[in-house]
Amino acid sequence: MELFSDLLSTFASQLQKPALAFLLGGMVIAALGSKLSIPDAIYRFIVFMLLMRIGLGAGIEIRAANFGDVLLPALISLFIGCAIVLIGRFTLAALPQVRTEDGIATAGLFGAVSASTLAAAMVVLDEEGIGFEAWVPALYPFMDIAALVLAIVLASVHAHKQNGPSAKVALGPIFANSLRGSALSALLLGLVIGLVSRPEGVFEEFYDPLFRGLLSILMLVLGIEAWSRLDELRKVAHWYVIYALVAPLVHGLLAFALGYMAHLVTGFSPGGVILLAVIAASNSDISGPPTLRAGIPSANPSAYIGSSTAVGTPISIAVGIPLYLTLGQWVFGL
Amino acid sequence: MELFSDLLSTFASQLQKPALAFLLGGMVIAALGSKLSIPDAIYRFIVFMLLMRIGLGAGIEIRAANFGDVLLPALISLFIGCAIVLIGRFTLAALPQVRTEDGIATAGLFGAVSASTLAAAMVVLDEEGIGFEAWVPALYPFMDIAALVLAIVLASVHAHKQNGPSAKVALGPIFANSLRGSALSALLLGLVIGLVSRPEGVFEEFYDPLFRGLLSILMLVLGIEAWSRLDELRKVAHWYVIYALVAPLVHGLLAFALGYMAHLVTGFSPGGVILLAVIAASNSDISGPPTLRAGIPSANPSAYIGSSTAVGTPISIAVGIPLYLTLGQWVFGL
Amino acid sequence: MELFSDLLSTFASQLQKPALAFLLGGMVIAALGSKLSIPDAIYRFIVFMLLMRIGLGAGIEIRAANFGDVLLPALISLFIGCAIVLIGRFTLAALPQVRTEDGIATAGLFGAVSASTLAAAMVVLDEEGIGFEAWVPALYPFMDIAALVLAIVLASVHAHKQNGPSAKVALGPIFANSLRGSALSALLLGLVIGLVSRPEGVFEEFYDPLFRGLLSILMLVLGIEAWSRLDELRKVAHWYVIYALVAPLVHGLLAFALGYMAHLVTGFSPGGVILLAVIAASNSDISGPPTLRAGIPSANPSAYIGSSTAVGTPISIAVGIPLYLTLGQWVFGL
Amino acid sequence: MTHHATKISIITEKLNEQQIEQMVVEAGAKGYTVFEGSGRGSHSLKTRSRPSVVDAFSLIKIEVIVADREKADAIVEKIASTYFKDYSGIVYMETVEILRLEKF
Amino acid sequence: MTHHATKISIITEKLNEQQIEQMVVEAGAKGYTVFEGSGRGSHSLKTRSRPSVVDAFSLIKIEVIVADREKADAIVEKIASTYFKDYSGIVYMETVEILRLEKF
Amino acid sequence: MTHHATKISIITEKLNEQQIEQMVVEAGAKGYTVFEGSGRGSHSLKTRSRPSVVDAFSLIKIEVIVADREKADAIVEKIASTYFKDYSGIVYMETVEILRLEKF
Ligand SMILES: Nc1ncnc2c1ncn2[C@@H]1O[C@H](COP(=O)(O)O)[C@@H](O)[C@H]1O
Ligand SMILES: Nc1ncnc2c1ncn2[C@@H]1O[C@H](COP(=O)(O)O)[C@@H](O)[C@H]1O
Ligand SMILES: Nc1ncnc2c1ncn2[C@@H]1O[C@H](COP(=O)(O)O)[C@@H](O)[C@H]1O
Ligand code: NA
Ligand code: NA
Ligand code: NA
């Protein structure tokens, strides 16, 4: 009961946070038919700035990290990415009303990671004064790539069964393709630059101070986009909506449990556990879709983009972040 | 005489201000045929940033405002918006050399408000240390919408008389259309976010510090644009130029007088009176034109855009702001 | 020997600097096939911001300068611009494997100046605490225009000889054309605004603090671009690569020597000498190419853009800047 | 094995985009494609490179392919009579060859 | 002194751009031109003005002019059979007049 | 009630835009429309998605519709002889149907 009332008060206080206000604001003005829009070039630049900031920050601090500590959370991330896709494969994709390829692609997108949700969660933890290991954002690629690759493999196995023996799936290009996406490239480039050079100056006077402000604009874009994609969702089975509402909760709790285990075993920080849950609950909104479109061409993009952009992302930001935050505060007595 | 010499010295000191320097600089480089241009995406982003900053700022501080105080200035703004259009209707639009629709549309544009002029005036007042009520920028929509709606209605009444009974003008869509424009949407969204959530952090570390810098770039764009539109102005009657030079003065003085009245009655601040005069003297350069194009399709856009962009905007920034500032300093003994 | 070991340690420490890290990072991700790209509108805006910052900074401080001091370095800059083109005319362009027009255009590009290399060098000098006269960046146009105009004249003289008497080259339009380019326009506009108005506020709170961060992104763009242009280079004679590797060294040393002379004669600062060498060693990557394309239409753009963008720019940033810095520290005992 | 169809090209102010698209779909077209551009005609010059302070006036070209010539004529007629008194624009038709008749 | 040639227009998702371009060149075309656009067809609406969170799905039009009609037919056939089962898109042909036969 | 006219399409480097537009207008065309694009031909590849450090080399397509065939031939001739020795580009013509003969 206490957890529940804590949750309510966390929600109330998150509603005051600009990130959420801009997200909801974007949905409201799109619903009212406003012509306000953020130019595409600006949107893409903001995504670059956020991921570069996250990468640089992780890279700078990771220099001092004990690589042994990273191992368990990285394996857990890999595992979660795969688990989410398998769960989706045998629930959503197995439903008779859902085309198998569409279901698998959707599961892949929910297994992959949203950079914006990650950024929003980092800001919230920061504001709450909850620390986490600098390398936690670097867990992103492990979960992201695992989920996308597995989804593409499962879809191809399915096509194989349907159409008789076809060409084998080449894993190499799928890996390469997802690493080359603009989001992961920016994150990893920042990570490497942070590791091998001394970008502290530029980080502290440029990338870091602009982080929260640019995030507020990204939230506005995501809100507008979410509303505009609702239409697309109407064309597909109701199951997608139900999945998009329920699955993130399951994924986040699973990740929280495994993160808690790592906390007990290797002292993974409470903030890290919360962030891991948020990452797991999030769904890829930027780089996942094109990777899946290329990897599972027969899947209908309206199905997976509709459910992730219109439902999954707003839910994981507006509900997921406060939820895992409260859970963390409660479990770790923060 | 003293007023006049004060005016001259204010002018001289405003010429030193970057806003004006960038505006004139833009005109000069356009005149010299420079290929320098600010990308369209950047221009639209800057407008968003400025209006969001103005909206957030007003919203944050308005929480503490006494809504009674707002009432009189809001009514005055409504009245001025309508008065400007009526003045234009019976002067410019009544001239035999001017097509009635074109004249009415021009009056509508001069009744509406320029976000850039408003932003420039806020910076000037700030630098002069002259305070104003936080909600003054929120008077913008009252004047803007009143003017645009009335202009469209008058044009339609005119068409009605000319062509015999036609479909009645539906006011609802005109209101909605002008509220949905990107400029008002950004301002109002910022206002609401400022009112209901706590965006102080993002306001102080992002939107506010970038305000003056982004404004300088916007001034450059307006200068380039003003020069490039001069051509268009050459194609229409001289009366447009005369109107664009004289009308802002009349509108600003009218607003100053009414604002002064509010000062006496409800204690409307001197800075508020000056800002009200600047808003009234300004003409819409962003959201007004498309609203009028849609609402008065028979009016020739070269007429109203030429006179407002090429003459009205530079005049109201370069002449209007120093004028009402000096007048304010003189009247209120600042 | 000491110089050499100093050079190595300067290189090592420059490799730690974010500018170089972003440049190399851009080349690496392009080589790996990453889809990361900075939108064109952002790229153009960044170039504007950097040049406006450089212009404003020079303009603000130049007010107090002694114009007599500027004269000698300005003449030297003019001379270097011409000398570089003449050297290229009688080496690269005289080779039998190189089309004369292509060689002349390439020499013109290497005689012209790179705004990004200039900006990167300013940041490095700043970090090393080495001062320079505020007007040194204003030497840019002297060298740039001299080189471009002379290259176009030489190419036209060559065409004249080949094709018999043709129309005379009009110098006026070539001058005007190069001044009107977006890069020089921005620099000069900033210079004039800095000179005649008081943009200190906007300079210190907007243009200056964003300088290093935006430069890091520009370096990333240049790195990506360099790699992508390598292809083009493969299609032209090897001599272009050799020229692009060797010529900047020659140009920089020539400028260093002449700058040193000015140091002895008029007290030109050590930082100024270093910056002059960097400017001379750099090649135009933004405004030079279109000017040359228009002025020497028969020259193949792949030849000159390939060698300058793919080889010249990375070399002058990664090798040139540390080289002239070390030389300066050594010669002037800094 | 190709079929003949009519491609209608409508060049007009962006402001009219949504309404024209709706009109085209209501007239029975199964799709359309839109491009942004700039141009010059009897009305004033439209520009592209500068920030168009008034973006709504910039130009678009809407291409609509319909297999049925009569449908094409009806669309062209409707658009010419509705828009080109007050707004800038032109409309023209071409004959094209298509593969899948049922898609147009 | 003009010659006749066939212009192929392919409207499809940007995602396919590189592969189609390669296919076109391998089929013997000497060049192509690409434009960005947006549109509506039997698949869901493609939008332009909003930031396309998923840019790879936005539309492009690839125009290829080939002098040899058989080459054109082969290209059209190849593209229709490879792409239009899974991806949105249309392809059509027009006859154009060119000057320099050797360039196409 | 449509008329026949000739549509000229000129694909060339952006650098030449203003001069070609002027040439077209001087040759008697009553309007033109311009689109930005990218492409590949016998000269080097033009790209679109990357920031074109050298924007002036990116491609444009200028479309000009003229009712008078001879005027069209003259424009095409003039442009081919002036530009295509030094600059990349192609030009081609199509027949289109228009409504308002007086506008072209
Ligand atoms: N003859 C023409 N050829 C090509 N495009 C034209 C022509 N005339 C007009 N246009 C296009 O149609 C737009 C509107 O034309 P107008 O209504 O004549 O101003 C122009 O801006 C051009 O883009
Ligand atoms: N009848 C049509 N006329 C013009 N463009 C079309 C037509 N049908 C489809 N398209 C274009 O082709 C794209 C893909 O069509 P579809 O595969 O039917 O979704 C659409 O988004 C349009 O841009
Ligand atoms: N066969 C073709 N089909 C379509 N566009 C072409 C063709 N050849 C050339 N182009 C276009 O014209 C531009 C210049 O061609 P080029 O002068 O051959 O380099 C290319 O970048 C293409 O955009
Ligand atoms: Na996930
Ligand atoms: Na006004
Ligand atoms: Na140089």
Side-chain angles (χ1 to χ4, degrees):
Chain A
M1 228 38 280
E2 207 187 327
L3 172 62
F4 190 71
S5 79
D6 277 10
L7 195 57
L8 275 186
S9 85
T10 307
F11 272 125
S13 85
Q14 286 303 319
L15 270 174
Q16 301 283 332
K17 293 286 156 64
L20 207 51
F22 277 87
L23 182 77
L24 296 177
M27 297 179 73
V28 168
I29 63 165
L32 296 174
S34 162
K35 279 167 211 130
L36 178 63
S37 77
I38 303 297
D40 185 54
I42 302 295
Y43 160 74
R44 290 195 286 138
F45 178 61
I46 291 177
V47 170
F48 164 81
M49 288 289 290
L50 298 183
L51 284 162
M52 181 53 75
R53 150 71 183 74
I54 294 178
L56 285 174
I60 289 173
E61 292 190 38
I62 228 169
R63 286 180 220 143
N66 180 346
F67 279 87
D69 294 348
V70 187
L71 196 67
L72 185 59
L75 287 177
I76 291 180
S77 300
L78 266 177
F79 173 80
I80 295 172
C82 296
I84 291 176
V85 175
L86 288 171
I87 294 174
R89 172 70 187 88
F90 295 109
T91 57
L92 179 70
L95 290 170
Q97 299 89 334
V98 169
R99 272 182 67 222
T100 311
E101 301 92 301
D102 295 358
I104 294 175
T106 307
L109 216 51
F110 277 79
V113 174
S114 157
S116 8
T117 311
L118 170 60
M122 286 171 66
V123 166
V124 167
L125 287 184
D126 209 55
E127 286 172 349
E128 299 287 327
I130 301 177
F132 50 87
E133 291 83 356
W135 43 260
V136 177
L139 298 176
Y140 173 156
F142 292 92
M143 205 187 291
D144 200 63
I145 295 180
L148 293 173
V149 170
L150 182 58
I152 294 175
V153 169
L154 289 185
S156 134
V157 167
H158 172 74
H160 191 86
K161 277 195 206 141
Q162 299 260 304
N163 315 328
S166 71
K168 267 214 164 170
V169 181
L171 285 187
I174 306 179
F175 271 103
N177 205 17
S178 56
L179 277 169
R180 277 178 193 147
S182 56
L184 274 187
S185 291
L187 180 78
L188 295 176
L189 178 63
L191 200 73
V192 172
I193 291 181
L195 258 175
V196 304
S197 80
R198 292 277 171 280
E200 277 82 349
V202 100
F203 177 80
E204 274 153 31
E205 79 188 28
F206 184 72
Y207 291 98
D208 192 46
L210 293 174
F211 190 59
R212 287 208 298 168
L214 292 176
L215 182 65
S216 73
I217 301 175
L218 181 62
M219 290 292 128
L220 182 64
V221 172
L222 291 181
I224 296 175
E225 185 74 12
W227 188 268
S228 321
R229 293 275 175 191
L230 272 183
D231 254 5
E232 242 153 296
L233 203 56
R234 289 203 195 99
K235 296 182 206 143
V236 296
H238 290 318
W239 288 109
Y240 286 100
V241 181
I242 295 171
Y243 177 81
L245 288 168
V246 175
L249 192 71
V250 175
H251 306 159
L253 291 178
L254 170 69
F256 196 96
L258 292 173
Y260 186 73
M261 221 185 66
H263 171 72
L264 298 179
V265 177
T266 66
F268 191 39
S269 72
V273 176
I274 295 173
L275 220 45
L276 188 72
V278 168
I279 291 177
S282 79
N283 54 83
S284 175
D285 34 27
I286 297 163
S287 48
T291 305
L292 288 170
R293 185 77 179 116
I296 318 182
S298 60
N300 173 11
S302 289
Y304 52 88
I305 295 178
S307 46
S308 90
T309 309
V311 181
T313 302
I315 290 290
S316 65
I317 294 171
V319 180
I321 295 181
L323 177 66
Y324 304 115
L325 175 65
T326 315
L327 197 65
Q329 288 170 326
W330 199 73
V331 167
F332 298 104
L334 298 172
Chain B
M1 226 44 275
E2 206 186 329
L3 173 61
F4 190 71
S5 78
D6 278 11
L7 195 56
L8 276 185
S9 83
T10 308
F11 271 126
S13 85
Q14 286 304 317
L15 270 174
Q16 303 283 333
K17 294 286 158 63
L20 207 49
F22 277 87
L23 182 77
L24 296 178
M27 297 178 74
V28 169
I29 63 166
L32 295 175
S34 161
K35 279 167 209 130
L36 178 63
S37 77
I38 303 297
D40 185 54
I42 302 294
Y43 161 73
R44 290 195 285 136
F45 179 60
I46 291 177
V47 171
F48 165 81
M49 288 289 291
L50 298 183
L51 285 161
M52 181 53 74
R53 151 70 183 74
I54 295 177
L56 285 174
I60 289 173
E61 292 190 38
I62 228 169
R63 286 180 220 143
N66 180 346
F67 278 88
D69 295 348
V70 187
L71 195 67
L72 185 58
L75 287 176
I76 292 180
S77 301
L78 265 177
F79 173 80
I80 295 172
C82 296
I84 291 176
V85 175
L86 288 171
I87 294 174
R89 173 69 187 87
F90 295 109
T91 58
L92 179 71
L95 290 170
Q97 298 89 332
V98 169
R99 273 183 66 220
T100 312
E101 301 92 303
D102 294 358
I104 294 176
T106 308
L109 217 51
F110 277 80
V113 174
S114 157
S116 6
T117 310
L118 170 61
M122 286 171 67
V123 166
V124 168
L125 286 183
D126 209 55
E127 287 172 348
E128 300 287 327
I130 301 177
F132 50 87
E133 291 83 355
W135 42 260
V136 177
L139 297 176
Y140 174 156
F142 292 93
M143 205 187 291
D144 199 64
I145 295 181
L148 293 173
V149 170
L150 182 58
I152 294 174
V153 169
L154 289 185
S156 135
V157 166
H158 171 74
H160 191 86
K161 278 194 205 140
Q162 300 261 302
N163 314 328
S166 72
K168 268 216 164 168
V169 182
L171 285 186
I174 306 181
F175 271 103
N177 206 16
S178 56
L179 277 169
R180 276 177 194 147
S182 55
L184 275 187
S185 291
L187 181 78
L188 295 176
L189 178 63
L191 201 73
V192 172
I193 292 181
L195 258 175
V196 306
S197 79
R198 292 277 171 280
E200 277 82 349
V202 100
F203 177 80
E204 275 153 31
E205 78 187 29
F206 184 71
Y207 291 99
D208 193 45
L210 293 174
F211 190 58
R212 288 207 299 166
L214 293 175
L215 182 65
S216 72
I217 301 176
L218 182 62
M219 289 293 127
L220 182 64
V221 172
L222 291 181
I224 296 176
E225 185 74 11
W227 188 267
S228 322
R229 293 275 176 191
L230 272 182
D231 254 5
E232 242 153 297
L233 202 56
R234 290 206 192 99
K235 295 184 207 143
V236 297
H238 291 315
W239 288 109
Y240 286 101
V241 181
I242 296 171
Y243 177 81
L245 288 168
V246 175
L249 192 72
V250 176
H251 306 159
L253 292 178
L254 170 68
F256 196 96
L258 293 173
Y260 186 72
M261 221 186 66
H263 172 72
L264 298 179
V265 176
T266 65
F268 190 38
S269 72
V273 177
I274 296 174
L275 220 45
L276 188 72
V278 169
I279 290 178
S282 79
N283 54 84
S284 175
D285 35 25
I286 296 163
S287 48
T291 306
L292 288 170
R293 185 78 180 116
I296 318 182
S298 60
N300 172 11
S302 289
Y304 52 87
I305 294 178
S307 47
S308 90
T309 308
V311 182
T313 302
I315 290 289
S316 65
I317 294 171
V319 180
I321 296 180
L323 178 65
Y324 304 115
L325 175 65
T326 315
L327 196 66
Q329 287 170 326
W330 199 73
V331 167
F332 298 104
L334 298 173
Chain C
M1 230 39 280
E2 208 186 327
L3 173 62
F4 191 71
S5 78
D6 278 10
L7 194 58
L8 276 185
S9 84
T10 308
F11 271 125
S13 85
Q14 286 304 319
L15 270 174
Q16 302 284 331
K17 293 286 156 64
L20 207 50
F22 277 87
L23 181 77
L24 297 177
M27 297 178 75
V28 169
I29 64 166
L32 295 175
S34 162
K35 279 169 210 128
L36 178 63
S37 77
I38 303 297
D40 185 54
I42 301 295
Y43 161 73
R44 290 195 286 136
F45 179 61
I46 290 177
V47 170
F48 165 81
M49 289 288 291
L50 298 183
L51 285 161
M52 181 53 75
R53 151 69 183 75
I54 294 177
L56 286 174
I60 288 173
E61 292 190 37
I62 227 169
R63 285 181 221 143
N66 180 347
F67 278 88
D69 295 348
V70 186
L71 196 68
L72 185 58
L75 287 177
I76 292 180
S77 301
L78 266 176
F79 173 80
I80 295 172
C82 296
I84 291 176
V85 175
L86 288 171
I87 294 174
R89 173 69 186 88
F90 294 110
T91 56
L92 178 69
L95 290 171
Q97 298 90 333
V98 169
R99 272 182 66 220
T100 312
E101 302 91 302
D102 295 359
I104 294 175
T106 308
L109 216 52
F110 277 80
V113 175
S114 157
S116 6
T117 311
L118 170 61
M122 287 172 67
V123 166
V124 167
L125 287 184
D126 210 55
E127 286 172 349
E128 299 288 327
I130 300 177
F132 51 87
E133 291 84 356
W135 43 260
V136 178
L139 298 175
Y140 173 156
F142 292 92
M143 205 186 293
D144 200 63
I145 295 181
L148 294 173
V149 170
L150 182 59
I152 294 174
V153 169
L154 289 185
S156 134
V157 167
H158 172 75
H160 191 85
K161 277 194 208 145
Q162 300 260 304
N163 314 327
S166 73
K168 269 218 162 167
V169 182
L171 286 185
I174 307 180
F175 271 103
N177 205 16
S178 56
L179 277 169
R180 275 177 195 147
S182 55
L184 276 187
S185 291
L187 181 78
L188 295 176
L189 178 63
L191 200 74
V192 172
I193 292 181
L195 259 175
V196 305
S197 80
R198 292 276 170 282
E200 277 82 350
V202 100
F203 177 81
E204 274 153 31
E205 78 187 30
F206 184 70
Y207 291 99
D208 192 46
L210 293 174
F211 190 59
R212 288 208 297 168
L214 293 176
L215 182 65
S216 72
I217 301 175
L218 182 61
M219 290 292 126
L220 182 64
V221 173
L222 291 181
I224 296 175
E225 185 73 13
W227 188 268
S228 322
R229 293 276 176 190
L230 272 183
D231 254 5
E232 243 153 294
L233 203 56
R234 289 204 195 99
K235 294 182 208 145
V236 296
H238 290 316
W239 289 109
Y240 287 100
V241 180
I242 296 171
Y243 178 80
L245 289 169
V246 175
L249 192 71
V250 175
H251 305 160
L253 292 178
L254 170 68
F256 196 95
L258 292 173
Y260 186 72
M261 222 186 65
H263 172 72
L264 299 179
V265 177
T266 65
F268 190 40
S269 72
V273 177
I274 296 173
L275 221 44
L276 189 72
V278 169
I279 290 178
S282 79
N283 54 84
S284 175
D285 35 25
I286 296 162
S287 48
T291 306
L292 289 170
R293 185 80 180 114
I296 317 182
S298 59
N300 173 10
S302 289
Y304 54 87
I305 295 178
S307 46
S308 91
T309 309
V311 181
T313 302
I315 291 290
S316 65
I317 293 171
V319 180
I321 295 180
L323 177 66
Y324 304 115
L325 175 65
T326 314
L327 196 65
Q329 287 170 326
W330 199 73
V331 167
F332 298 103
L334 299 172
Chain D
M1 262 318 307
T2 62
H3 310 270
H4 284 276
T6 305
K7 181 173 86 172
I8 308 166
S9 298
I10 306 154
I11 298 178
T12 189
E13 298 175 40
K14 199 169 171 176
L15 193 73
N16 300 323
E17 176 170 352
Q18 286 199 356
Q19 282 179 296
I20 293 191
E21 287 170 0
Q22 201 181 321
M23 188 181 286
V24 158
V25 169
E26 280 166 8
K30 296 206 185 126
Y32 54 80
T33 311
V34 186
F35 303 94
E36 301 206 15
S38 58
R40 173 179 224 142
S42 53
H43 298 75
S44 67
L45 182 64
K46 305 296 176 307
T47 55
R48 186 182 69 261
S49 47
R50 289 203 327 266
S52 42
V53 167
V54 192
D55 183 51
F57 298 2
S58 69
L59 288 180
I60 49 161
K61 180 192 200 182
I62 306 180
E63 292 184 351
V64 189
I65 301 178
V66 286
D68 177 2
R69 173 71 201 211
E70 258 146 55
K71 218 185 255 175
D73 284 336
I75 292 175
V76 163
E77 192 47 55
K78 184 83 185 284
I79 281 167
S81 64
T82 318
Y83 286 99
F84 297 152
K85 210 180 106 261
D86 286 334
Y87 297 98
S88 341
I90 59 171
V91 60
Y92 59 87
M93 288 183 286
E94 283 156 288
T95 300
V96 301
E97 285 172 72
I98 54 170
L99 295 183
R100 297 165 296 167
L101 197 56
E102 69 288 357
K103 262 197 82 73
F104 296 94
Chain E
M1 261 318 306
T2 61
H3 310 269
H4 285 276
T6 306
K7 181 173 87 173
I8 308 166
S9 298
I10 306 153
I11 298 177
T12 189
E13 298 175 39
K14 199 171 172 175
L15 192 73
N16 299 323
E17 176 171 351
Q18 285 200 354
Q19 282 180 295
I20 292 191
E21 287 170 0
Q22 199 180 320
M23 189 181 284
V24 158
V25 169
E26 280 166 9
K30 296 206 185 126
Y32 54 78
T33 311
V34 186
F35 303 94
E36 300 206 15
S38 58
R40 174 180 224 140
S42 54
H43 298 77
S44 67
L45 182 64
K46 305 296 174 308
T47 55
R48 186 183 67 259
S49 48
R50 287 203 330 264
S52 42
V53 167
V54 192
D55 183 51
F57 298 3
S58 69
L59 288 181
I60 48 162
K61 181 194 200 181
I62 305 180
E63 292 184 353
V64 190
I65 301 179
V66 286
D68 177 1
R69 174 71 200 212
E70 259 146 55
K71 218 185 255 175
D73 285 337
I75 292 175
V76 162
E77 192 47 53
K78 184 84 185 285
I79 282 167
S81 64
T82 319
Y83 286 98
F84 298 152
K85 211 181 106 257
D86 286 333
Y87 297 98
S88 342
I90 59 171
V91 59
Y92 59 87
M93 289 182 286
E94 283 156 288
T95 300
V96 301
E97 284 172 73
I98 54 170
L99 295 184
R100 298 165 293 168
L101 197 56
E102 69 286 358
K103 263 196 83 75
F104 297 92
Chain F
M1 261 320 306
T2 62
H3 310 270
H4 285 276
T6 306
K7 181 173 86 171
I8 307 167
S9 298
I10 305 155
I11 297 178
T12 189
E13 298 175 38
K14 199 170 172 175
L15 192 72
N16 300 323
E17 175 170 353
Q18 286 199 356
Q19 283 180 293
I20 293 191
E21 287 170 1
Q22 201 181 318
M23 188 180 286
V24 157
V25 169
E26 280 166 9
K30 295 205 185 128
Y32 55 78
T33 310
V34 186
F35 303 94
E36 301 205 14
S38 58
R40 173 181 224 140
S42 53
H43 298 76
S44 67
L45 182 65
K46 306 295 175 309
T47 55
R48 187 181 66 261
S49 47
R50 288 203 328 265
S52 41
V53 167
V54 193
D55 183 50
F57 298 2
S58 68
L59 289 180
I60 48 161
K61 181 193 201 182
I62 305 180
E63 291 184 351
V64 190
I65 300 179
V66 286
D68 177 1
R69 174 69 201 213
E70 260 147 53
K71 216 185 257 176
D73 285 335
I75 291 175
V76 162
E77 192 47 54
K78 185 83 186 284
I79 281 168
S81 65
T82 317
Y83 286 98
F84 297 153
K85 210 182 105 257
D86 286 333
Y87 298 99
S88 341
I90 59 171
V91 59
Y92 58 87
M93 290 183 284
E94 284 156 289
T95 300
V96 302
E97 285 172 71
I98 54 170
L99 294 184
R100 298 164 295 167
L101 198 56
E102 69 286 358
K103 262 196 82 75
F104 297 93

